PDB file of all heavy atoms in Angstrom:
ATOM      1  N   GLY A  41      91.682 116.393  94.042  1.00  0.00           N
ATOM      2  CA  GLY A  41      92.738 117.073  93.131  1.00  0.00           C
ATOM      3  C   GLY A  41      92.151 117.766  91.912  1.00  0.00           C
ATOM      4  O   GLY A  41      92.832 118.592  91.330  1.00  0.00           O
ATOM      5  N   MET A  42      90.956 117.394  91.512  1.00  0.00           N
ATOM      6  CA  MET A  42      90.404 118.006  90.238  1.00  0.00           C
ATOM      7  C   MET A  42      89.038 118.666  90.485  1.00  0.00           C
ATOM      8  O   MET A  42      88.344 118.935  89.497  1.00  0.00           O
ATOM      9  CB  MET A  42      90.261 116.874  89.224  1.00  0.00           C
ATOM     10  CG  MET A  42      91.547 116.164  88.832  1.00  0.00           C
ATOM     11  SD  MET A  42      92.630 117.295  88.024  1.00  0.00           S
ATOM     12  CE  MET A  42      91.911 117.514  86.416  1.00  0.00           C
ATOM     13  N   GLY A  43      88.663 118.879  91.685  1.00  0.00           N
ATOM     14  CA  GLY A  43      87.402 119.514  91.984  1.00  0.00           C
ATOM     15  C   GLY A  43      86.939 119.252  93.357  1.00  0.00           C
ATOM     16  O   GLY A  43      87.734 119.007  94.307  1.00  0.00           O
ATOM     17  N   THR A  44      85.571 119.316  93.484  1.00  0.00           N
ATOM     18  CA  THR A  44      84.971 119.013  94.784  1.00  0.00           C
ATOM     19  C   THR A  44      83.791 118.172  94.636  1.00  0.00           C
ATOM     20  O   THR A  44      82.884 118.387  93.770  1.00  0.00           O
ATOM     21  CB  THR A  44      84.554 120.407  95.471  1.00  0.00           C
ATOM     22  OG1 THR A  44      85.745 121.270  95.551  1.00  0.00           O
ATOM     23  CG2 THR A  44      83.975 120.199  96.812  1.00  0.00           C
ATOM     24  N   SER A  45      83.727 117.082  95.529  1.00  0.00           N
ATOM     25  CA  SER A  45      82.477 116.279  95.603  1.00  0.00           C
ATOM     26  C   SER A  45      81.552 116.929  96.518  1.00  0.00           C
ATOM     27  O   SER A  45      81.904 117.392  97.588  1.00  0.00           O
ATOM     28  CB  SER A  45      82.878 114.935  96.033  1.00  0.00           C
ATOM     29  OG  SER A  45      83.766 114.257  95.053  1.00  0.00           O
ATOM     30  N   LEU A  46      80.269 116.870  96.171  1.00  0.00           N
ATOM     31  CA  LEU A  46      79.143 117.443  96.990  1.00  0.00           C
ATOM     32  C   LEU A  46      78.070 116.378  97.253  1.00  0.00           C
ATOM     33  O   LEU A  46      77.921 115.502  96.469  1.00  0.00           O
ATOM     34  CB  LEU A  46      78.537 118.571  96.222  1.00  0.00           C
ATOM     35  CG  LEU A  46      79.425 119.729  95.739  1.00  0.00           C
ATOM     36  CD1 LEU A  46      78.673 120.664  94.748  1.00  0.00           C
ATOM     37  CD2 LEU A  46      80.042 120.493  96.853  1.00  0.00           C
ATOM     38  N   GLU A  47      77.420 116.556  98.435  1.00  0.00           N
ATOM     39  CA  GLU A  47      76.414 115.608  98.784  1.00  0.00           C
ATOM     40  C   GLU A  47      75.301 116.373  99.511  1.00  0.00           C
ATOM     41  O   GLU A  47      75.564 117.146 100.381  1.00  0.00           O
ATOM     42  CB  GLU A  47      77.009 114.580  99.757  1.00  0.00           C
ATOM     43  CG  GLU A  47      76.128 113.450 100.204  1.00  0.00           C
ATOM     44  CD  GLU A  47      76.920 112.525 101.091  1.00  0.00           C
ATOM     45  OE1 GLU A  47      77.687 111.660 100.539  1.00  0.00           O
ATOM     46  OE2 GLU A  47      76.792 112.659 102.264  1.00  0.00           O
ATOM     47  N   GLY A  48      74.005 116.168  99.090  1.00  0.00           N
ATOM     48  CA  GLY A  48      72.868 116.860  99.640  1.00  0.00           C
ATOM     49  C   GLY A  48      71.663 116.685  98.734  1.00  0.00           C
ATOM     50  O   GLY A  48      71.614 115.854  97.862  1.00  0.00           O
ATOM     51  N   THR A  49      70.623 117.468  98.986  1.00  0.00           N
ATOM     52  CA  THR A  49      69.516 117.430  98.083  1.00  0.00           C
ATOM     53  C   THR A  49      69.980 118.064  96.781  1.00  0.00           C
ATOM     54  O   THR A  49      70.788 118.898  96.748  1.00  0.00           O
ATOM     55  CB  THR A  49      68.284 118.155  98.667  1.00  0.00           C
ATOM     56  OG1 THR A  49      68.601 119.589  98.747  1.00  0.00           O
ATOM     57  CG2 THR A  49      67.936 117.603 100.027  1.00  0.00           C
ATOM     58  N   THR A  50      69.222 117.708  95.680  1.00  0.00           N
ATOM     59  CA  THR A  50      69.508 118.332  94.343  1.00  0.00           C
ATOM     60  C   THR A  50      69.339 119.841  94.482  1.00  0.00           C
ATOM     61  O   THR A  50      70.161 120.547  93.970  1.00  0.00           O
ATOM     62  CB  THR A  50      68.599 117.720  93.289  1.00  0.00           C
ATOM     63  OG1 THR A  50      68.865 116.304  93.189  1.00  0.00           O
ATOM     64  CG2 THR A  50      68.806 118.339  91.971  1.00  0.00           C
ATOM     65  N   GLU A  51      68.326 120.317  95.083  1.00  0.00           N
ATOM     66  CA  GLU A  51      67.976 121.715  95.239  1.00  0.00           C
ATOM     67  C   GLU A  51      69.101 122.435  95.991  1.00  0.00           C
ATOM     68  O   GLU A  51      69.541 123.476  95.539  1.00  0.00           O
ATOM     69  CB  GLU A  51      66.651 121.893  95.903  1.00  0.00           C
ATOM     70  CG  GLU A  51      65.447 121.384  95.149  1.00  0.00           C
ATOM     71  CD  GLU A  51      65.275 119.898  95.202  1.00  0.00           C
ATOM     72  OE1 GLU A  51      65.903 119.246  96.082  1.00  0.00           O
ATOM     73  OE2 GLU A  51      64.529 119.359  94.364  1.00  0.00           O
ATOM     74  N   ASP A  52      69.588 121.853  97.065  1.00  0.00           N
ATOM     75  CA  ASP A  52      70.720 122.447  97.824  1.00  0.00           C
ATOM     76  C   ASP A  52      71.977 122.423  97.040  1.00  0.00           C
ATOM     77  O   ASP A  52      72.727 123.475  97.070  1.00  0.00           O
ATOM     78  CB  ASP A  52      70.938 121.748  99.176  1.00  0.00           C
ATOM     79  CG  ASP A  52      69.807 122.123 100.163  1.00  0.00           C
ATOM     80  OD1 ASP A  52      69.069 123.131  99.925  1.00  0.00           O
ATOM     81  OD2 ASP A  52      69.692 121.420 101.181  1.00  0.00           O
ATOM     82  N   ILE A  53      72.279 121.395  96.357  1.00  0.00           N
ATOM     83  CA  ILE A  53      73.521 121.345  95.553  1.00  0.00           C
ATOM     84  C   ILE A  53      73.437 122.379  94.457  1.00  0.00           C
ATOM     85  O   ILE A  53      74.419 123.151  94.266  1.00  0.00           O
ATOM     86  CB  ILE A  53      73.679 119.908  94.929  1.00  0.00           C
ATOM     87  CG1 ILE A  53      74.079 118.896  96.018  1.00  0.00           C
ATOM     88  CG2 ILE A  53      74.757 119.929  93.826  1.00  0.00           C
ATOM     89  CD1 ILE A  53      74.082 117.438  95.531  1.00  0.00           C
ATOM     90  N   LEU A  54      72.314 122.547  93.802  1.00  0.00           N
ATOM     91  CA  LEU A  54      72.272 123.486  92.700  1.00  0.00           C
ATOM     92  C   LEU A  54      72.398 124.923  93.223  1.00  0.00           C
ATOM     93  O   LEU A  54      72.976 125.745  92.601  1.00  0.00           O
ATOM     94  CB  LEU A  54      70.989 123.316  91.908  1.00  0.00           C
ATOM     95  CG  LEU A  54      70.932 122.006  91.091  1.00  0.00           C
ATOM     96  CD1 LEU A  54      69.563 121.849  90.443  1.00  0.00           C
ATOM     97  CD2 LEU A  54      72.007 121.977  90.010  1.00  0.00           C
ATOM     98  N   ALA A  55      71.788 125.186  94.386  1.00  0.00           N
ATOM     99  CA  ALA A  55      71.875 126.508  94.963  1.00  0.00           C
ATOM    100  C   ALA A  55      73.352 126.882  95.369  1.00  0.00           C
ATOM    101  O   ALA A  55      73.844 128.000  95.096  1.00  0.00           O
ATOM    102  CB  ALA A  55      71.032 126.608  96.183  1.00  0.00           C
ATOM    103  N   VAL A  56      74.029 125.928  95.971  1.00  0.00           N
ATOM    104  CA  VAL A  56      75.424 126.079  96.361  1.00  0.00           C
ATOM    105  C   VAL A  56      76.261 126.254  95.087  1.00  0.00           C
ATOM    106  O   VAL A  56      77.233 127.108  95.061  1.00  0.00           O
ATOM    107  CB  VAL A  56      75.873 124.995  97.251  1.00  0.00           C
ATOM    108  CG1 VAL A  56      77.440 125.030  97.461  1.00  0.00           C
ATOM    109  CG2 VAL A  56      75.207 125.036  98.577  1.00  0.00           C
ATOM    110  N   VAL A  57      76.061 125.422  94.028  1.00  0.00           N
ATOM    111  CA  VAL A  57      76.885 125.590  92.855  1.00  0.00           C
ATOM    112  C   VAL A  57      76.650 126.914  92.241  1.00  0.00           C
ATOM    113  O   VAL A  57      77.612 127.500  91.753  1.00  0.00           O
ATOM    114  CB  VAL A  57      76.486 124.425  91.866  1.00  0.00           C
ATOM    115  CG1 VAL A  57      76.993 124.737  90.423  1.00  0.00           C
ATOM    116  CG2 VAL A  57      76.933 123.107  92.342  1.00  0.00           C
ATOM    117  N   ALA A  58      75.482 127.480  92.266  1.00  0.00           N
ATOM    118  CA  ALA A  58      75.252 128.845  91.664  1.00  0.00           C
ATOM    119  C   ALA A  58      76.188 129.879  92.339  1.00  0.00           C
ATOM    120  O   ALA A  58      76.707 130.728  91.756  1.00  0.00           O
ATOM    121  CB  ALA A  58      73.742 129.249  91.800  1.00  0.00           C
ATOM    122  N   THR A  59      76.295 129.724  93.653  1.00  0.00           N
ATOM    123  CA  THR A  59      77.138 130.614  94.429  1.00  0.00           C
ATOM    124  C   THR A  59      78.608 130.432  94.150  1.00  0.00           C
ATOM    125  O   THR A  59      79.323 131.366  93.952  1.00  0.00           O
ATOM    126  CB  THR A  59      76.929 130.408  95.990  1.00  0.00           C
ATOM    127  OG1 THR A  59      75.488 130.704  96.218  1.00  0.00           O
ATOM    128  CG2 THR A  59      77.785 131.356  96.788  1.00  0.00           C
ATOM    129  N   LEU A  60      79.040 129.190  94.046  1.00  0.00           N
ATOM    130  CA  LEU A  60      80.465 128.831  93.784  1.00  0.00           C
ATOM    131  C   LEU A  60      80.852 129.155  92.415  1.00  0.00           C
ATOM    132  O   LEU A  60      82.009 129.605  92.185  1.00  0.00           O
ATOM    133  CB  LEU A  60      80.655 127.362  94.077  1.00  0.00           C
ATOM    134  CG  LEU A  60      80.448 126.899  95.489  1.00  0.00           C
ATOM    135  CD1 LEU A  60      80.671 125.356  95.577  1.00  0.00           C
ATOM    136  CD2 LEU A  60      81.193 127.717  96.480  1.00  0.00           C
ATOM    137  N   HIS A  61      79.931 129.058  91.415  1.00  0.00           N
ATOM    138  CA  HIS A  61      80.322 129.437  90.090  1.00  0.00           C
ATOM    139  C   HIS A  61      80.727 130.944  89.959  1.00  0.00           C
ATOM    140  O   HIS A  61      81.528 131.311  89.174  1.00  0.00           O
ATOM    141  CB  HIS A  61      79.053 129.176  89.170  1.00  0.00           C
ATOM    142  CG  HIS A  61      79.164 129.740  87.750  1.00  0.00           C
ATOM    143  ND1 HIS A  61      79.993 129.097  86.784  1.00  0.00           N
ATOM    144  CD2 HIS A  61      78.778 130.861  87.195  1.00  0.00           C
ATOM    145  CE1 HIS A  61      79.947 129.789  85.744  1.00  0.00           C
ATOM    146  NE2 HIS A  61      79.196 130.836  85.937  1.00  0.00           N
ATOM    147  N   ARG A  62      80.131 131.775  90.830  1.00  0.00           N
ATOM    148  CA  ARG A  62      80.446 133.218  90.826  1.00  0.00           C
ATOM    149  C   ARG A  62      81.796 133.593  91.504  1.00  0.00           C
ATOM    150  O   ARG A  62      82.223 134.705  91.280  1.00  0.00           O
ATOM    151  CB  ARG A  62      79.383 133.966  91.489  1.00  0.00           C
ATOM    152  CG  ARG A  62      78.082 133.824  90.732  1.00  0.00           C
ATOM    153  CD  ARG A  62      77.202 135.105  90.871  1.00  0.00           C
ATOM    154  NE  ARG A  62      77.863 136.362  90.708  1.00  0.00           N
ATOM    155  CZ  ARG A  62      78.130 136.977  89.569  1.00  0.00           C
ATOM    156  NH1 ARG A  62      77.748 136.441  88.467  1.00  0.00           N
ATOM    157  NH2 ARG A  62      78.700 138.129  89.561  1.00  0.00           N
ATOM    158  N   VAL A  63      82.403 132.626  92.196  1.00  0.00           N
ATOM    159  CA  VAL A  63      83.648 132.959  92.906  1.00  0.00           C
ATOM    160  C   VAL A  63      84.690 133.656  91.967  1.00  0.00           C
ATOM    161  O   VAL A  63      85.205 134.763  92.343  1.00  0.00           O
ATOM    162  CB  VAL A  63      84.154 131.872  93.688  1.00  0.00           C
ATOM    163  CG1 VAL A  63      85.578 132.071  94.227  1.00  0.00           C
ATOM    164  CG2 VAL A  63      83.209 131.486  94.832  1.00  0.00           C
ATOM    165  N   PRO A  64      85.089 133.033  90.853  1.00  0.00           N
ATOM    166  CA  PRO A  64      86.046 133.705  90.076  1.00  0.00           C
ATOM    167  C   PRO A  64      85.668 135.096  89.559  1.00  0.00           C
ATOM    168  O   PRO A  64      86.495 136.025  89.515  1.00  0.00           O
ATOM    169  CB  PRO A  64      86.276 132.749  88.846  1.00  0.00           C
ATOM    170  CG  PRO A  64      85.822 131.405  89.301  1.00  0.00           C
ATOM    171  CD  PRO A  64      84.702 131.729  90.326  1.00  0.00           C
ATOM    172  N   LEU A  65      84.379 135.302  89.241  1.00  0.00           N
ATOM    173  CA  LEU A  65      83.864 136.603  88.821  1.00  0.00           C
ATOM    174  C   LEU A  65      83.985 137.616  90.001  1.00  0.00           C
ATOM    175  O   LEU A  65      84.362 138.690  89.851  1.00  0.00           O
ATOM    176  CB  LEU A  65      82.442 136.442  88.391  1.00  0.00           C
ATOM    177  CG  LEU A  65      82.197 135.368  87.172  1.00  0.00           C
ATOM    178  CD1 LEU A  65      80.752 135.262  86.933  1.00  0.00           C
ATOM    179  CD2 LEU A  65      82.945 135.773  86.013  1.00  0.00           C
ATOM    180  N   ASP A  66      83.581 137.120  91.185  1.00  0.00           N
ATOM    181  CA  ASP A  66      83.656 137.957  92.416  1.00  0.00           C
ATOM    182  C   ASP A  66      85.042 138.445  92.675  1.00  0.00           C
ATOM    183  O   ASP A  66      85.318 139.458  93.263  1.00  0.00           O
ATOM    184  CB  ASP A  66      83.108 137.258  93.588  1.00  0.00           C
ATOM    185  CG  ASP A  66      81.621 136.989  93.571  1.00  0.00           C
ATOM    186  OD1 ASP A  66      80.994 137.580  92.719  1.00  0.00           O
ATOM    187  OD2 ASP A  66      81.081 136.203  94.389  1.00  0.00           O
ATOM    188  N   LEU A  67      86.056 137.604  92.266  1.00  0.00           N
ATOM    189  CA  LEU A  67      87.473 137.898  92.567  1.00  0.00           C
ATOM    190  C   LEU A  67      88.099 138.695  91.378  1.00  0.00           C
ATOM    191  O   LEU A  67      89.341 138.846  91.316  1.00  0.00           O
ATOM    192  CB  LEU A  67      88.219 136.629  92.818  1.00  0.00           C
ATOM    193  CG  LEU A  67      87.831 135.908  94.133  1.00  0.00           C
ATOM    194  CD1 LEU A  67      88.627 134.611  94.235  1.00  0.00           C
ATOM    195  CD2 LEU A  67      88.011 136.725  95.314  1.00  0.00           C
ATOM    196  N   GLY A  68      87.297 139.041  90.433  1.00  0.00           N
ATOM    197  CA  GLY A  68      87.772 139.992  89.369  1.00  0.00           C
ATOM    198  C   GLY A  68      88.115 139.314  88.050  1.00  0.00           C
ATOM    199  O   GLY A  68      88.581 139.983  87.075  1.00  0.00           O
ATOM    200  N   LEU A  69      87.908 138.008  87.911  1.00  0.00           N
ATOM    201  CA  LEU A  69      88.254 137.289  86.674  1.00  0.00           C
ATOM    202  C   LEU A  69      87.055 137.573  85.677  1.00  0.00           C
ATOM    203  O   LEU A  69      85.957 137.693  86.087  1.00  0.00           O
ATOM    204  CB  LEU A  69      88.402 135.880  86.867  1.00  0.00           C
ATOM    205  CG  LEU A  69      89.704 135.490  87.643  1.00  0.00           C
ATOM    206  CD1 LEU A  69      89.743 133.888  87.867  1.00  0.00           C
ATOM    207  CD2 LEU A  69      90.916 136.042  86.940  1.00  0.00           C
ATOM    208  N   PRO A  70      87.319 137.650  84.432  1.00  0.00           N
ATOM    209  CA  PRO A  70      86.314 138.017  83.392  1.00  0.00           C
ATOM    210  C   PRO A  70      85.337 136.881  83.096  1.00  0.00           C
ATOM    211  O   PRO A  70      84.293 137.090  82.497  1.00  0.00           O
ATOM    212  CB  PRO A  70      87.075 138.491  82.195  1.00  0.00           C
ATOM    213  CG  PRO A  70      88.365 137.783  82.311  1.00  0.00           C
ATOM    214  CD  PRO A  70      88.652 137.679  83.731  1.00  0.00           C
ATOM    215  N   ARG A  71      85.760 135.610  83.381  1.00  0.00           N
ATOM    216  CA  ARG A  71      84.973 134.536  82.934  1.00  0.00           C
ATOM    217  C   ARG A  71      85.033 133.359  83.904  1.00  0.00           C
ATOM    218  O   ARG A  71      86.087 133.024  84.441  1.00  0.00           O
ATOM    219  CB  ARG A  71      85.442 134.040  81.568  1.00  0.00           C
ATOM    220  CG  ARG A  71      84.620 133.077  80.920  1.00  0.00           C
ATOM    221  CD  ARG A  71      85.018 132.743  79.472  1.00  0.00           C
ATOM    222  NE  ARG A  71      84.167 131.782  78.825  1.00  0.00           N
ATOM    223  CZ  ARG A  71      84.378 131.347  77.588  1.00  0.00           C
ATOM    224  NH1 ARG A  71      85.461 131.765  76.872  1.00  0.00           N
ATOM    225  NH2 ARG A  71      83.506 130.497  76.993  1.00  0.00           N
ATOM    226  N   ALA A  72      83.908 132.654  84.156  1.00  0.00           N
ATOM    227  CA  ALA A  72      83.890 131.484  84.970  1.00  0.00           C
ATOM    228  C   ALA A  72      83.208 130.371  84.197  1.00  0.00           C
ATOM    229  O   ALA A  72      82.236 130.590  83.550  1.00  0.00           O
ATOM    230  CB  ALA A  72      83.045 131.731  86.244  1.00  0.00           C
ATOM    231  N   TYR A  73      83.935 129.234  84.206  1.00  0.00           N
ATOM    232  CA  TYR A  73      83.338 128.043  83.484  1.00  0.00           C
ATOM    233  C   TYR A  73      83.267 126.922  84.575  1.00  0.00           C
ATOM    234  O   TYR A  73      84.268 126.573  85.148  1.00  0.00           O
ATOM    235  CB  TYR A  73      84.377 127.631  82.350  1.00  0.00           C
ATOM    236  CG  TYR A  73      83.950 126.483  81.535  1.00  0.00           C
ATOM    237  CD1 TYR A  73      83.151 126.698  80.492  1.00  0.00           C
ATOM    238  CD2 TYR A  73      84.478 125.241  81.867  1.00  0.00           C
ATOM    239  CE1 TYR A  73      82.764 125.590  79.667  1.00  0.00           C
ATOM    240  CE2 TYR A  73      84.145 124.156  81.094  1.00  0.00           C
ATOM    241  CZ  TYR A  73      83.212 124.308  79.950  1.00  0.00           C
ATOM    242  OH  TYR A  73      82.904 123.275  79.188  1.00  0.00           O
ATOM    243  N   SER A  74      82.085 126.361  84.680  1.00  0.00           N
ATOM    244  CA  SER A  74      81.901 125.362  85.680  1.00  0.00           C
ATOM    245  C   SER A  74      81.382 124.037  84.991  1.00  0.00           C
ATOM    246  O   SER A  74      80.555 124.053  84.088  1.00  0.00           O
ATOM    247  CB  SER A  74      80.895 125.750  86.709  1.00  0.00           C
ATOM    248  OG  SER A  74      81.321 126.819  87.476  1.00  0.00           O
ATOM    249  N   ILE A  75      81.865 122.934  85.538  1.00  0.00           N
ATOM    250  CA  ILE A  75      81.543 121.622  85.103  1.00  0.00           C
ATOM    251  C   ILE A  75      80.870 120.923  86.273  1.00  0.00           C
ATOM    252  O   ILE A  75      81.548 120.712  87.359  1.00  0.00           O
ATOM    253  CB  ILE A  75      82.709 120.784  84.607  1.00  0.00           C
ATOM    254  CG1 ILE A  75      83.391 121.598  83.484  1.00  0.00           C
ATOM    255  CG2 ILE A  75      82.227 119.425  84.170  1.00  0.00           C
ATOM    256  CD1 ILE A  75      84.886 121.198  83.234  1.00  0.00           C
ATOM    257  N   LEU A  76      79.577 120.495  86.196  1.00  0.00           N
ATOM    258  CA  LEU A  76      78.840 119.816  87.259  1.00  0.00           C
ATOM    259  C   LEU A  76      78.409 118.471  86.734  1.00  0.00           C
ATOM    260  O   LEU A  76      77.723 118.374  85.653  1.00  0.00           O
ATOM    261  CB  LEU A  76      77.618 120.692  87.638  1.00  0.00           C
ATOM    262  CG  LEU A  76      76.717 120.039  88.667  1.00  0.00           C
ATOM    263  CD1 LEU A  76      77.442 119.852  90.001  1.00  0.00           C
ATOM    264  CD2 LEU A  76      75.517 120.844  88.815  1.00  0.00           C
TER     265      LEU A  76
END
Side-chain angles (χ1 to χ4, degrees):
M42 298 295 289
T44 303
S45 295
L46 307 170
E47 186 178 276
T49 67
T50 297
E51 295 76 17
D52 285 343
I53 288 171
L54 292 174
V56 168
V57 166
T59 300
L60 300 178
H61 171 78
R62 293 211 45 87
V63 167
L65 304 173
D66 292 347
L67 296 178
L69 292 177
R71 188 173 182 183
Y73 181 84
S74 295
I75 302 160
L76 175 65

